[in-house]
Amino acid sequence: MNALAQRLARAIRREGPLPVSVFMTFALHDPQSGFYAAREAIGAGGAFVTAPEISQVFGELLGVWLLQVWRDQGRPANAMVVELGPGRATLLADALRTLRSDGEFLDTAEIVLVEASPALESLQRERLRDGSTRLRWVRQWSDVPRERPLFLIANEFLDALPIRQFVKTERGWCERTVTVDALDRLAFALAPLPLPLSIPLGRGVAEPGAVYEISPGAEALVEDIARVITNRGGAGLFIDYGYAGKGFGDTLQAVAHHESVDVLASPGEADLSAHVDFGAITESARAGGARVLGPIAQGDLLEALGIEVRAARLEEANPEQAIRVGVRRLVDPEMMGSLFKALAIVPQAAPAPPGF
Ligand code: SAH
């Protein structure tokens, strides 16, 4: 057992089992041992690789998207660009190259990075150091000012927010918890008392053993963002892996050094994430008053934004680089192109954003 697992085991013996969401929060954000407390979390040398780390075209095209929605909404002079969970800041660095093509946008917009991890914030500051743009960091979404038109992007952010899991038993839906077993290891268990849940009708019939997941944090966050966009203008783009529709399942996963590992074995040493429930997110955005578009496949969005043309141009300039390999990984439905999905939110009266 690592140090964090021992600390959690002590707390569980003292106070009882933890909901999965609380375990996830400690494993990801514990200030000493949490996964995101380390700078090396993401990228080739880290636990997992994200789309912007695969190809610069990804961030560049999201820059195109941001510019276009800003123009579609009449080029508001006081726009705020927000990225949730910028990771290694690769996406933003690539997007900024596109955004710089419109001097008016960058002269007037402020860019806010929402980053929970002090270690990743310092890495982001180093990587965005050139200083030509106004950047600001905050630790959490609730610290972002909400008086201005909001242009927000979030790639692989919602999947990192904690989920609660419920398992269908003869007694009803019981919450899945993390406890300590007879051999003193962290182990999954079920809360004894069932909870009354209202499962969306479209999910279908739950057999015994079915797992139902909710992410209260993701839902509240998206509703709040939708409310700001509805009231102040702007647009939001969420890209993540996930599902929309029928069925049940346990999607909590742990990844370390690009391999899938046991969720409970070494908390803080592996990334924990869960598939995003785009159906729930859509409901939340609508509750916030916004117009919701998608989810559509990531591959379709990138193609509509012109990934082929951009890749061809880059290839001409750098024939030795494996541009096509990266682009294919992002677009091919067998790779990231269809498991990854994009959902956009805009005010009710705004035109559909590019690609949707
Ligand atoms: N968007 C990046 C990184 C994704 S990893 C990319 O595509 O490469 C998730 C990021 O979200 C990390 O930067 C992590 O530290 C941050 N993060 C996770 N939970 C957060 C929270 N609740 N508030 C703010 N940042 C969070």
Side-chain angles (χ1 to χ4, degrees), residues 163-197:
I163 57 158
R164 294 175 67 181
Q165 294 185 315
F166 301 89
V167 179
K168 184 72 190 265
T169 71
E170 283 169 6
R171 307 187 297 280
W173 290 99
C174 294
E175 182 152 17
R176 203 169 176 218
T177 59
V178 176
T179 190
V180 179
D181 70 9
L183 297 171
D184 266 349
R185 294 170 311 199
L186 296 178
F188 285 114
L190 285 184
L193 290 180
L195 289 175
L197 293 181

Side-chain angles (χ1 to χ4, degrees), residues 28-29 36 42 48 50-53 58 83-91 114-117 120 124 138-141 154-157 159-162:
L28 291 178
H29 296 293
Y36 285 122
I42 308 153
F48 62 101
T50 57
E53 306 293 330
F58 186 82
E83 184 182 1
L84 301 179
R88 294 167 47 79
T90 310
L91 195 171
V114 179
E115 176 52 66
S117 155
L120 284 172
Q124 291 155 13
V138 298
R139 280 276 171 269
Q140 58 211 6
W141 157 253
N155 183 59
E156 290 209 45
F157 178 80
D159 67 0
L161 297 181

Side-chain angles (χ1 to χ4, degrees), residues 25-49:
T25 298
F26 277 103
L28 291 178
H29 296 293
D30 182 76
Q32 283 117 53
S33 313
F35 177 73
Y36 285 122
R39 291 164 66 100
E40 299 76 28
I42 308 153
F48 62 101
V49 174

Side-chain angles (χ1 to χ4, degrees), residues 188-326:
F188 285 114
L190 285 184
L193 290 180
L195 289 175
L197 293 181
S198 51
I199 312 280
L201 279 177
R203 286 298 184 98
V205 179
E207 302 295 338
V211 178
Y212 178 61
E213 299 181 338
I214 58 172
S215 179
E219 290 174 25
L221 173 88
V222 170
E223 181 178 339
D224 201 30
I225 290 168
R227 194 161 288 125
V228 176
I229 290 173
T230 300
N231 293 335
R232 306 287 175 182
L237 179 62
F238 296 90
I239 303 181
D240 229 305
Y241 65 100
Y243 55 92
K246 277 170 86 104
F248 296 90
D250 169 12
T251 75
L252 181 61
Q253 63 176 30
V255 174
H257 310 295
H258 311 274
E259 306 267 336
S260 173
V261 298
D262 187 280
V263 168
L264 299 179
S266 309
E269 293 171 37
D271 178 49
L272 290 187
S273 65
H275 286 217
V276 171
D277 178 351
F278 280 100
I281 294 304
T282 299
E283 290 305 311
S284 305
R286 291 203 178 121
R291 176 177 179 200
V292 183
L293 300 109
I296 61 172
Q298 167 176 295
D300 292 344
L301 174 66
L302 296 176
E303 275 169 359
L305 293 175
I307 196 166
E308 294 301 334
V309 176
R310 177 75 195 132
R313 208 175 298 152
L314 275 176
E315 233 166 18
E316 253 169 52
N318 319 282
E320 69 289 355
Q321 276 186 30
I323 311 252
R324 288 277 157 192
V325 179

